[in-house]
Amino acid sequence: MQVTGTHINYYLNCHRQLWLFANGITMESTSDLVYEGKLLHETSYQRRSEKYQEIEIDGIKIDYYDPKNRVVHEIKKTDKHEEAHEWQVKYYLYVLEQNGVAGVTGMLEYPRLHKTDEVLLTSPDRLVIADMVIKIESIIRSEECPQRLPKSRCKNCSYFDFCWSGEEEK
Ligand code: SF4
């Protein structure tokens, strides 16, 4: 099994989300949030496609790679920076490096915030990522779906209805 950037993101958000996604239970196609994200993605960056390359390698898909400056650009629709976003990009840099493409940096872009954050891959990061990959594979292989998070942490998750339908509002 190849660990993807989405696996890394979900692992850091919620182990149950990771397990559901990896075991083929996806709500992405019907999620308004995901649709909205794709729309923002397309409208904000549609004129930039010539400058950037799309890369698919070892299970990851990088939409915007700038080969001239060796920068991976990752666009997020949210209005706040999340640690999971940063690790997703670090994972892209890690996979590129594992495949002989070294010295690449990352750029997290938040169009709604008009903000960009540089992302670098450090030596400690490489160890953290190697450990994360082992834990992700173990969760995915598990027979049991992990427990839910507290509901207050589920508001923006595409699995909200799946996890909480039938529950009384508190
Ligand atoms: S709704 Fe909550 S518990 Fe369910 S997958 Fe999403 S974050 Fe996890």
Side-chain angles (χ1 to χ4, degrees), residues 55-94:
I55 295 180
E56 286 194 60
I57 187 168
D58 270 0
I60 62 164
K61 183 167 172 288
I62 298 167
D63 291 328
Y64 295 99
Y65 177 61
D66 174 354
K68 187 163 171 247
N69 297 304
R70 298 168 86 83
V71 180
V72 167
H73 292 257
E74 175 69 18
I75 300 133
K76 294 297 181 192
K77 70 182 175 63
T78 56
D79 52 13
K80 74 176 165 89
H81 176 104
E82 289 174 26
E83 192 190 1
H85 299 161
E86 206 170 312
W87 281 106
Q88 185 179 354
V89 176
K90 283 178 188 281
Y91 185 64
Y92 292 160
L93 304 182
Y94 177 84

Side-chain angles (χ1 to χ4, degrees), residues 14 16-17 20 148-149 153-154 157 159-160 163-164:
C14 170
R16 182 180 174 93
Q17 185 182 26
L20 290 169
R148 294 178 299 197
L149 291 181
R153 291 180 55 189
C154 300
C157 180
Y159 290 105
F160 186 89
C163 290
W164 294 103

Side-chain angles (χ1 to χ4, degrees), residues 124-148:
D125 291 340
R126 291 181 184 92
L127 298 176
V128 171
I129 288 171
D131 184 56
M132 235 186 249
V133 168
I134 291 168
K135 287 175 177 155
I136 286 169
E137 287 171 342
S138 166
I139 290 168
I140 290 173
R141 274 200 309 269
S142 169
E143 292 288 316
E144 287 189 25
C145 180
Q147 294 293 308
R148 294 178 299 197

